[in-house]
Amino acid sequence: MSNYRAEDVEYAADEYDMEDVDDDMEEEFHGRDMADSDSDIDEFDFTNNRVADTSAAQARKGKDIQGIPWERLSITRETYRKTRLEQYKNYENIPHSGDETLKDCKAVEKGGQYYEFRRNSRSVKSTILHFQLRNLVWATSKHDVYLMSQYSVIHWSTLSGRKTEVLDVSGHVRPSEKHPGSLLEGFTQTQVSTLAVKDNLLVAGGFQGELICKHLDRPGVSYCSRTTHDENAITNAVDIYNTSSGAVHFTASNNDCGVRDFDMERYHLTRHFNFPWPVNHTSLSPDTKLLIIVGDNPDGMLVDSTTGKVVSTLSGHVDFSFASAWHPDGVTFATGNQDKTCRIWDKRNLSKSVEVLRSNLGAVRSIRYTSDGHYIATAEPADFVHVYDAKNGYEREQEIDFFGEISGISFSPDTESLFIGVWDRTYGSLLEYGRRRAYMYLDSLI
């Protein structure tokens, strides 16, 4: 991963924020009172002093899912979309990498309808701190979501419509439990670069190699550790998993070229592997035997999770990779790259990828499979999430189209919900989609 620079966040905000729309919005709403509106749904809910959300029922009646009042603006949605597609600058470490892969990409039919819009919650402000790291949204059930919002990890309940602060890292965070190797002095003002939440364990990784572990069913923080004192120490990704014996572990990928495995039953480091380049993401196979390793090299690796020995090189991408995921069958897996592609691999024949899926605007920054293996979702840096029908050969996709930087995506463990964090100064929010079923008439009750 590129060395972090403070101006990188400003780069993302300045280049990709909805400034054109914001300018029109300021002209439209400044000085306008409630009586001036001829809309049934006002942009601002004056009764509770917050920006109004958008429900599925309102969307079906024609309201924009993000609450953007296009009918009152000087630019149409179609024109703005065209402008974004033409002007968005995909960040590349290797120049023109996105152009080189075009010839390899699969022609995928659009129009799939796998997940249906449920709600856009604008009171939930999802944020990011590093423009290349987008794993900051996690669902532990179809009603429970955890995400970063500024210096806080927030829990959002779709049932109650309430948010609760779970972890505040703006001040001093220290462990309330004593475990060997834990930094009892803790950390101050941690900049969270990545996040993972599974069952009752939350792990936040920081820009200085910090790891903060919290059990959601216990008060306080359980464990704090600094993976390295290397100045290029940022924690790029965390993957929580259960061993074959049921023990809870997590793997941390760092910019110091290290991958570390931690046992959360005994609270200690169990394995530490070093690789030739910074590691941006790892994913452990369902049988826990193989690790996907991707990072600051066009080639990825499949390695033995016990020894760190390279089993196979993954050649095909032409830029740096930041995402990976295993299909639940343990045979196929996916990698996402700044060359604007997601490649699908079969571990039985790794001479080349079996599918190459193309994004619209930029890099594939996040990948998630549903737990039943039926669908895979890939997130671009902004505006687009693609949901492919993995069960039927990735021939068809649903394209979820909105405006704003993407902080993360997450399917619920039961596959019933898909959550998308949107980072934007004006329209930042949490998008919620529900899996389409034959009994969709029940949507009227949601």
Side-chain angles (χ1 to χ4, degrees):
M1 185 201 69
S2 300
N3 288 337
Y4 172 73
R5 303 182 305 272
E7 60 266 25
D8 288 336
V9 174
E10 292 304 316
Y11 164 83
D14 293 340
E15 287 291 326
Y16 311 137
D17 212 44
M18 297 184 62
E19 291 180 344
D20 294 339
V21 174
D22 290 348
D23 291 342
D24 286 336
M25 289 293 290
E26 287 184 9
E27 294 177 10
E28 176 64 33
F29 290 105
H30 279 241
R32 180 174 68 84
D33 59 30
M34 292 176 65
D36 293 329
S37 174
D38 57 1
S39 171
D40 291 334
I41 305 167
D42 284 323
E43 181 68 11
F44 196 86
D45 182 352
F46 288 88
T47 60
N48 57 15
N49 197 38
R50 67 175 176 84
V51 177
D53 295 342
T54 303
S55 68
Q58 290 170 328
R60 283 194 291 266
K61 292 178 181 178
K63 182 181 179 181
D64 181 83
I65 62 170
Q66 293 181 272
I68 305 172
W70 298 103
E71 70 282 1
R72 296 200 290 267
L73 302 180
S74 61
I75 187 171
T76 65
R77 190 186 196 283
E78 293 73 21
T79 300
Y80 192 67
R81 169 53 65 214
K82 182 180 178 183
T83 300
R84 292 272 281 189
L85 288 169
E86 292 172 349
Q87 297 182 359
Y88 192 96
K89 299 175 184 177
N90 178 40
Y91 186 90
E92 299 171 332
N93 286 97
I94 299 176
H96 312 296
S97 62
D99 299 330
E100 291 185 31
T101 57
L102 189 59
K103 64 182 183 301
D104 300 327
C105 295
K106 179 186 184 75
V108 178
E109 180 185 354
K110 296 184 180 180
Q113 295 294 322
Y114 313 127
Y115 282 80
E116 185 173 61
F117 174 76
R118 279 183 181 165
R119 191 168 195 87
N120 182 47
S121 301
R122 288 179 64 184
S123 57
V124 186
K125 297 296 183 183
S126 177
T127 57
I128 63 174
L129 276 180
H130 196 289
F131 72 105
Q132 290 175 305
L133 305 179
R134 308 298 183 93
N135 290 295
L136 296 170
V137 175
W138 294 86
T140 56
S141 81
K142 63 182 177 182
H143 299 306
D144 298 282
V145 193
Y146 295 84
L147 65 152
M148 284 304 304
S149 184
Q150 302 301 336
Y151 279 90
S152 296
V153 179
I154 299 295
H155 167 250
W156 173 254
S157 169
T158 63
L159 285 177
S160 66
R162 294 179 180 176
K163 59 183 178 182
T164 307
E165 184 178 73
V166 175
L167 179 65
D168 179 4
V169 296
S170 63
H172 191 189
V173 175
R174 63 165 60 94
S176 56
E177 303 174 17
K178 293 183 179 181
H179 301 287
S182 184
L183 291 178
L184 299 182
E185 66 270 26
F187 306 114
T188 301
Q189 292 184 328
T190 305
Q191 291 181 296
V192 174
S193 53
T194 192
L195 181 72
V197 187
K198 182 178 180 181
D199 298 326
N200 282 319
L201 178 63
L202 180 156
V203 182
F207 277 72
Q208 304 302 320
E210 304 98 328
L211 290 170
I212 301 173
C213 305
K214 175 179 174 56
H215 290 276
L216 300 174
D217 56 351
R218 304 181 201 169
V221 168
S222 297
Y223 181 77
C224 288
S225 177
R226 191 182 298 276
T227 56
T228 176
H229 290 281
D230 191 295
E231 65 178 37
N232 195 16
I234 187 170
T235 308
N236 292 325
V238 173
D239 182 28
I240 302 172
Y241 69 96
N242 294 96
T243 67
S244 56
S245 64
V248 179
H249 282 229
F250 72 86
T251 302
S253 309
N254 285 77
N255 227 45
D256 70 343
C257 306
V259 173
R260 298 165 175 84
D261 187 273
F262 290 84
D263 180 346
M264 282 292 95
E265 304 295 319
R266 300 177 181 177
Y267 297 95
H268 73 274
L269 177 68
T270 60
R271 286 186 290 273
H272 179 193
F273 305 137
N274 279 299
F275 297 97
W277 26 260
V279 179
N280 296 328
H281 201 271
T282 61
S283 293
L284 186 68
S285 61
D287 63 5
T288 73
K289 294 180 179 179
L290 295 171
L291 266 175
I292 307 166
I293 308 289
V294 297
D296 286 6
N297 191 289
D299 290 344
M301 294 182 287
L302 201 61
V303 307
D304 184 292
S305 64
T306 302
T307 65
K309 181 181 178 180
V310 177
V311 174
S312 180
T313 299
L314 309 174
S315 297
H317 286 300
V318 294
D319 207 311
F320 297 172
S321 294
F322 284 81
S324 63
W326 281 91
H327 188 286
D329 65 9
V331 175
T332 54
F333 59 91
T335 55
N337 192 276
Q338 291 183 157
D339 64 10
K340 300 174 71 172
T341 67
C342 170
R343 287 181 180 263
I344 309 299
W345 308 82
D346 188 319
K347 73 175 186 180
R348 297 167 296 189
N349 181 4
L350 293 169
S351 59
K352 65 176 183 177
S353 56
V354 295
E355 303 287 1
V356 185
L357 309 173
R358 178 80 174 180
S359 62
N360 295 332
L361 286 177
V364 176
R365 296 276 180 211
S366 186
I367 303 173
R368 299 285 186 271
Y369 275 101
T370 53
S371 59
D372 61 3
H374 201 137
Y375 302 110
I376 182 177
T378 66
E380 302 191 31
D383 292 18
F384 293 101
V385 171
H386 306 267
V387 182
Y388 297 93
D389 185 349
K391 185 178 180 180
N392 294 298
Y394 306 88
E395 298 288 340
R396 188 174 170 84
E397 70 155 304
Q398 175 183 356
E399 187 177 86
I400 300 176
D401 178 342
F402 51 92
F403 294 99
E405 293 287 304
I406 300 170
S407 62
I409 57 173
S410 183
F411 287 111
S412 59
D414 63 2
T415 80
E416 290 302 313
S417 295
L418 168 63
F419 296 95
I420 304 168
V422 182
W423 177 54
D424 186 85
R425 289 191 181 101
T426 304
Y427 294 99
S429 66
L430 183 68
L431 288 166
E432 178 190 355
Y433 284 76
R435 189 163 176 173
R436 293 177 65 92
R437 300 289 189 180
Y439 46 82
M440 287 308 293
Y441 64 87
L442 289 177
D443 176 69
S444 61
L445 301 177
I446 297 177

